[in-house]
Amino acid sequence: MAEPEAVPPLDEMVDGRGGVRPHWRTLLGILGGMGEGVLGERARRLDRAFEDEGMAGVLPGSKREAAWRCDPLPMVLPAAEFAQLEAGIAQRAALLEALLADLYGPQRLLAEGAIPPEVVFANPAFLRACRHAGEAPARPMLHLYAADLLRGPDGAWRVLADRTTAPAGPGLARENRRLLARVMPEAFRGTQVRSMRPFFDLWQDALQRLAPPERGDPAVALLTRGTQHPRWFEDMLLSRELSCALVECGDLTVRGGALYLKTLQGLQRVDVLLSRIEGAALDPLECAQAGVSGVPGLLDAARQGAVRILNAPGAGLAEAPALAGFLEALAPRLLGQALLLPSVETLWLGDAAARARLANEPGWLVRGATDGAAPTPVPLDAWANAIGAEARPAAYAATRLPVASVVPCVVGEGLEPRPLMLRMFAVFDGAAWRVMPGGLARIGEAASIGGALPVQGLSKDVWVLADEGADIIGPAALQLPPLPIRRQPGALPSRVADNLFWLGRYTERLERAARLVRATQARISRGVVLPREQAEVAALARCLGQAGFTGAEEVAGSSAAQALPGIIAAALREGGALPALAERIAALTAMVRDRLTADMHATFTLTLRTARAEMLAAGDGLETIGRAMISVLRFATAVAGVAAESMVRGGAWLFLDLGRRVERAQAIASEVQFALDQPPARIEGGLRLMLELCDSVITYRSRYLTILQPAPALDLVLADPSNPRALAFQLEAISRSLSEVAREDDPALPGEAALLLAEAEAIVADVIRAPDQAVAAAGLPPRLEAMANRIAALSDAVTRRYFALLPLTQMVGIEGATPAFRGAA
């Protein structure tokens, strides 16, 4: 059988006569005036912008490194062509909605033979738990729809795949537009490009309208698969664009037939859940595929109308490749219209005539009939052998892809044509389907771009040119009651509070390690430790050991100058204590990315990268180690400054600050303990070290000149509430933060912080009253060790009270009002 002649692809920018298509001319004129090499430089700037915004991991080498790229040259659609696509996509979405309503309802299409039962019942995306026998399910089942489009050599667009589960890409499309406008503003000045903002406004209002009618102030949440999932960054972007809470399965619970979000102050009702998770993974009680994940009881709450899940669980059934071959015949039957936007040619191989065509015609790609992945080329003889062994041809479908059109892409300093697939999105607003004036253009080989959106790849912004006479349709005003004023610091998911708390602790821990290294470096850089410094170095070695510097606690006496440099250098190498802390900070920063503004995230990311790079490059030299510690301290200072000036004093700031205060309070108590653990005759050296580690030397000198005595020094570092490096300052802040989030009937944790503050003040008072302050100060280490242990116990109590996500309580015999579950229950 002869192979068909190769058909050249259609060029999106150039017409068949070698001229530039009219809708590209303005853009190319602007780009032509930018000069040679500018496009390549802008491509590199775009890559850096994606990295800085959080698309890649916080630190180099992370799993999300260079996850997605955007080409600086957009894909341009004229207004008339978009109008045709808009009508076809809206019609196709309505067709799939009607199809799902029948398959999960009366199933007339199956009974009448319009759709083979094997295509439905053998599909793992068909959720029997969502079936409404004999009646239509609650509408709409589809809320967000995406179509993957290819343009063939004849210039016609065809649908390669329908996306109905949790279509990826609308957030990436929005991010592409935002960053491209920032990096290439001149390209937008002379071109009338339709904005995507009205689409997201319509989407946000549609979510509000879909809440149960009795809910006057509906709560909307976006259910993500978690921070470790490759799609988490886009989920975070969408939650911001749609102004809804970003939650994970562990943040949700079903109580009394309703869905609730676990927050620090109790359970908050969720009315609309925009799910980014496959329907089969939503509820372990009803879907075996969910395993131990999901939210137990979620599907029952949806059946009772207590929560609306979008897209409806089970909507993924419409993605089955075999169904695409039946849509052209179903459109007149379900909609009374011919299909405007056809699929690529598809055959269901359960049909004998389809198998005959497959055997006689070249160019087909064989795939699973219910598999939504990219079509994989399978040699016909291998496929025939598989069919003969399994005797299940109905489990397969065949697709024949047209030669995809090509579009110019920036490669190096020039342009090269690359195959294009266009993904476009539509949202149902309660009355009609609204199509995004734009989309996501994926670049790659046709066979590889037919599957789900990959976690890595090259994309383009899609420009829809504005028609001068067209009206801009925005969302209709919602009639909602006035919103109550909310200033609730505890309205924060327990998981997020936990991550912020430990982000604060690890940041403070890294800063403490840097200060300890600098203090040690100043005493051992000469190579010989003076006799009066040996006690200080011993105290520093104990502090370093507690901070994770392996072997530092074993250093003693005159050997410190020889041993400590190697111990410190080892702690700065790859896998050492300080890079490990930086990696934990990076992971937590990524987990709370949705709580950080772009400027805050950039501050965390850029300063942490610099600090980690200098740590790893420091080597064994004390001078280079000292410079690396300056970068670490700059990172910690930048984090403290941006948190103080850019974060609202709500739950996120409270727990970030609480973590820093707890860590610093524990460190101060331990460091003062180690510094004072020496004979009274040498207590002056311990006081000097204590002031240095608490960054209070200048303050002490300004108050007391050069006279160093135990009581004034201890007052400054333990009991002075105006000194941000004093223990009292930390304990006051801890008590204040805990009082903000605790209920009036739950004073235990703020009370414990107040008792610790009283103990710090009592320690200083005892030294002031002592006849010999040096002897009194030398006797304080046991009390300070007990304080450090009590602060650690307070941290554990905070974790148990606010962060521990307890397993779902099994309620038996509870009727009537929903119980008042609190905290992280």
Side-chain angles (χ1 to χ4, degrees), residues 534-598:
Q534 288 185 5
E536 298 176 21
V537 172
L540 284 168
R542 294 177 68 185
C543 292
L544 288 169
Q546 188 188 56
F549 290 70
T550 305
E553 286 182 321
E554 303 169 3
V555 174
S558 58
S559 64
Q562 290 74 37
L564 281 179
I567 291 172
I568 292 173
L572 268 66
R573 297 190 188 107
E574 188 75 51
L578 270 66
L581 275 176
E583 288 164 8
R584 292 190 190 116
I585 293 169
L588 289 166
T589 301
M591 291 178 186
V592 299
R593 175 67 177 87
D594 58 314
R595 303 284 164 169
L596 305 177
T597 66

Side-chain angles (χ1 to χ4, degrees), residues 220-241:
V220 182
L222 186 148
L223 180 60
T224 178
R225 286 154 286 199
T227 57
Q228 300 304 313
H229 194 276
R231 293 273 168 258
W232 181 84
F233 180 75
E234 189 197 1
D235 293 344
M236 183 271 297
L237 293 175
L238 276 181
S239 70
R240 288 188 171 181
E241 289 291 335

Side-chain angles (χ1 to χ4, degrees), residues 696-743:
S696 300
V697 173
I698 294 176
T699 304
Y700 186 89
R701 286 176 179 171
S702 66
R703 289 183 182 180
Y704 306 107
L705 301 179
T706 58
I707 301 172
L708 185 58
Q709 292 184 359
L714 287 168
D715 175 72
L716 180 59
V717 300
L718 294 182
D720 187 347
S722 66
N723 180 10
R725 293 284 170 180
L727 181 59
F729 187 96
Q730 320 311 319
L731 295 173
E732 274 197 353
I734 292 170
S735 180
R736 196 164 50 244
S737 295
L738 292 175
S739 297
E740 287 282 338
V741 296
R743 295 172 181 257

Side-chain angles (χ1 to χ4, degrees), residues 218-564:
V220 182
L222 186 148
L223 180 60
T224 178
R225 286 154 286 199
T227 57
Q228 300 304 313
H229 194 276
R231 293 273 168 258
W232 181 84
F233 180 75
E234 189 197 1
D235 293 344
M236 183 271 297
L237 293 175
L238 276 181
S239 70
R240 288 188 171 181
E241 289 291 335
L242 302 175
S243 299
C244 56
L246 183 65
V247 300
E248 298 179 16
C249 288
D251 299 329
L252 301 173
T253 183
V254 175
R255 302 291 170 90
L259 182 65
Y260 292 91
L261 171 64
K262 306 168 187 175
T263 74
L264 301 174
Q265 290 188 337
L267 302 179
Q268 291 188 354
R269 179 80 177 267
V270 176
D271 303 296
V272 178
L273 190 66
L274 182 61
S275 174
R276 308 295 290 169
I277 298 179
E278 297 78 7
L282 285 177
D283 189 342
L285 296 182
E286 303 200 39
C287 302
Q289 301 96 312
V292 296
S293 63
V295 183
L298 178 58
L299 292 187
D300 184 63
R303 271 194 298 269
Q304 302 305 318
V307 63
R308 177 66 63 85
I309 304 175
L310 305 168
N311 286 339
L317 173 64
E319 295 186 357
L323 281 177
F326 299 93
L327 294 182
E328 190 167 359
L330 291 174
R333 180 171 185 161
L334 295 176
L335 301 180
Q337 304 170 351
L339 192 62
L340 299 177
L341 194 58
S343 304
V344 296
E345 195 170 4
T346 303
L347 302 175
W348 174 60
L349 298 184
D351 179 64
R355 294 196 296 274
R357 285 192 60 188
L358 183 69
N360 296 321
E361 300 175 9
W364 292 95
L365 303 178
V366 178
R367 61 198 299 193
T370 61
D371 183 8
T376 303
V378 177
L380 289 182
D381 55 350
W383 177 82
N385 292 335
I387 289 297
E390 298 180 10
R392 290 187 60 238
Y396 294 88
T399 302
R400 184 152 58 184
L401 300 181
V403 177
S405 62
V406 295
V407 67
C409 298
V410 178
V411 178
E413 302 300 326
L415 298 176
E416 290 184 8
R418 295 288 175 86
L420 166 82
M421 188 206 73
L422 180 61
R423 176 168 288 189
M424 301 191 73
F425 307 92
V427 160
F428 187 68
D429 67 357
W433 284 93
R434 305 293 186 183
V435 179
M436 177 194 288
L440 192 68
R442 288 170 53 192
I443 305 302
E445 295 301 325
S448 67
I449 60 180
L453 200 67
V455 297
Q456 295 185 351
L458 179 64
S459 67
K460 281 181 176 287
D461 186 18
V462 177
W463 287 9
V464 175
L465 300 183
D467 190 342
E468 293 184 0
D471 295 328
I472 298 177
I473 301 175
L478 281 174
Q479 298 299 322
L480 295 175
L483 294 175
I485 301 301
R486 292 175 180 168
R487 295 177 183 173
Q488 298 171 309
L492 185 73
S494 304
R495 169 187 53 84
V496 177
D498 189 2
N499 292 334
L500 286 162
F501 178 77
W502 281 102
L503 176 60
R505 290 204 65 169
Y506 284 135
T507 300
E508 191 65 32
R509 196 171 293 181
L510 184 62
E511 179 183 359
R512 178 202 182 194
R515 292 186 181 279
L516 289 173
V517 168
R518 288 212 311 177
T520 306
Q521 177 201 19
R523 289 161 174 80
I524 65 174
S525 58
R526 296 183 299 272
V528 177
V529 178
L530 301 177
R532 67 181 180 85
E533 293 177 333
Q534 288 185 5
E536 298 176 21
V537 172
L540 284 168
R542 294 177 68 185
C543 292
L544 288 169
Q546 188 188 56
F549 290 70
T550 305
E553 286 182 321
E554 303 169 3
V555 174
S558 58
S559 64
Q562 290 74 37
L564 281 179

